[in-house]
Amino acid sequence: MTELSTNHKKAFDRFNHVKLFHQMCDAGIPVCLVKLLNWYSKISVIIKWNNCYSSPCFLKSGVRQGGVLSPILFNIYIGYVINSLIQSDLECHIHDVYFGCLVYADDIILLSASVGALQSMLDICYYTGTEIDIIFNAKKSSLFAVGKAHNTPVNSLRIGHDTVSWNDSLKYLGVYFKSGHTLLNDSEKTIRKFYAAANAIYSHVKFASEMTFLKPFAYHH
């Protein structure tokens, strides 16, 4: 199993607008909606230094961080990599459904029963990602073994020219897992972080009035 992460700080900044529009058309999105997003190709920035302003610079890549459409556009953009994995038909299936790749935002899980096939899947991610200017961050990625042979020494795999190391634990979507004969949920780290955060908050508000405590709950309801 591999937890593969894009370079998070640059993932949304590396969207090539022309390639994004091509991906949208290939995904069957109506041309009228693609043209509506053509304003992305007209975005410009100006740098201010004291009272001086630079000439406008037109951006040819990137979508807005925190924008409502940005995650949707990212799913369409990264779909090129995912479809390449599906077409390769490597590894895990449940009946006739391909489960070799699980994706949430810019975090990808690759599932494989063999190390050789897993390396092939990493190669597909690297080469197809390169075609659309997506860089996978080997330092944020992790190899993780589950099963009877989870303790067997295995050489590290590579994503491009960078090495992805094996680890005994894995964090995915805020949940910690431990390597073993079966996939184990390591909840102790999450519980410790919760208590640390709760104690930090309490240390700052322990002398506050009762209404201060009640107001957040009142707003929530």
Side-chain angles (χ1 to χ4, degrees):
M1 177 190 297
T2 301
E3 193 267 333
L4 192 61
S5 179
T6 61
N7 193 330
H8 183 67
K9 293 183 178 179
K10 298 181 180 180
F12 281 71
D13 297 331
R14 299 189 67 87
F15 278 38
N16 182 292
H17 293 153
V18 174
K19 293 179 180 179
L20 172 61
F21 298 149
H22 280 296
Q23 293 287 355
M24 294 176 69
C25 291
D26 292 341
I29 295 175
V31 176
C32 59
L33 293 180
V34 178
K35 289 182 177 180
L36 184 64
L37 291 175
N38 191 48
W39 61 271
Y40 264 114
S41 62
K42 300 178 182 179
I43 296 177
S44 62
V45 295
I46 296 176
I47 299 174
K48 179 182 178 182
W49 182 263
N50 292 329
N51 293 322
C52 299
Y53 294 87
S54 69
S55 300
C57 176
F58 288 93
L59 301 180
K60 297 182 180 180
S61 63
V63 293
R64 295 186 178 185
Q65 294 282 351
V68 176
L69 282 178
S70 296
I72 298 174
L73 295 177
F74 182 84
N75 289 340
I76 296 172
Y77 200 69
I78 200 69
Y80 180 66
V81 177
I82 308 307
N83 289 332
S84 297
L85 288 169
I86 294 173
Q87 291 173 7
S88 73
D89 206 35
L90 287 170
E91 290 309 318
C92 298
H93 294 75
I94 297 179
H95 297 295
D96 295 328
V97 180
Y98 182 76
F99 273 89
C101 176
L102 306 177
V103 183
Y104 183 86
D106 60 344
D107 290 318
I108 301 174
I109 289 283
L110 302 180
L111 300 174
S112 173
S114 68
V115 176
L118 187 57
Q119 180 60 69
S120 298
M121 296 170 76
L122 288 172
D123 292 339
I124 291 172
C125 289
Y126 174 75
Y127 289 115
T128 55
T130 301
E131 292 180 22
I132 57 174
D133 303 323
I134 289 292
I135 297 177
F136 290 98
N137 192 332
K139 293 182 179 180
K140 289 185 178 180
S141 302
S142 177
L143 297 171
F144 185 76
V146 178
K148 294 180 179 179
H150 71 279
N151 286 325
T152 303
V154 181
N155 292 333
S156 296
L157 305 184
R158 303 184 70 84
I159 176 74
H161 303 292
D162 299 320
T163 300
V164 185
S165 59
W166 291 92
N167 293 279
D168 295 329
S169 62
L170 173 72
K171 179 184 178 183
Y172 188 67
L173 304 181
V175 180
Y176 292 88
F177 299 97
K178 293 190 296 185
S179 178
H181 285 81
T182 59
L183 187 61
L184 303 173
N185 180 14
D186 185 4
S187 60
E188 292 182 1
K189 290 184 178 180
T190 305
I191 293 173
R192 286 198 300 268
K193 284 190 173 184
F194 170 78
Y195 280 117
N199 289 332
I201 295 172
Y202 180 71
S203 67
H204 288 84
V205 300
K206 60 183 176 181
F207 298 112
S209 66
E210 184 178 350
M211 289 305 299
T212 304
F213 285 104
L214 294 176
K215 277 185 179 181
F217 294 100
Y219 292 142
H220 175 74
H221 291 293

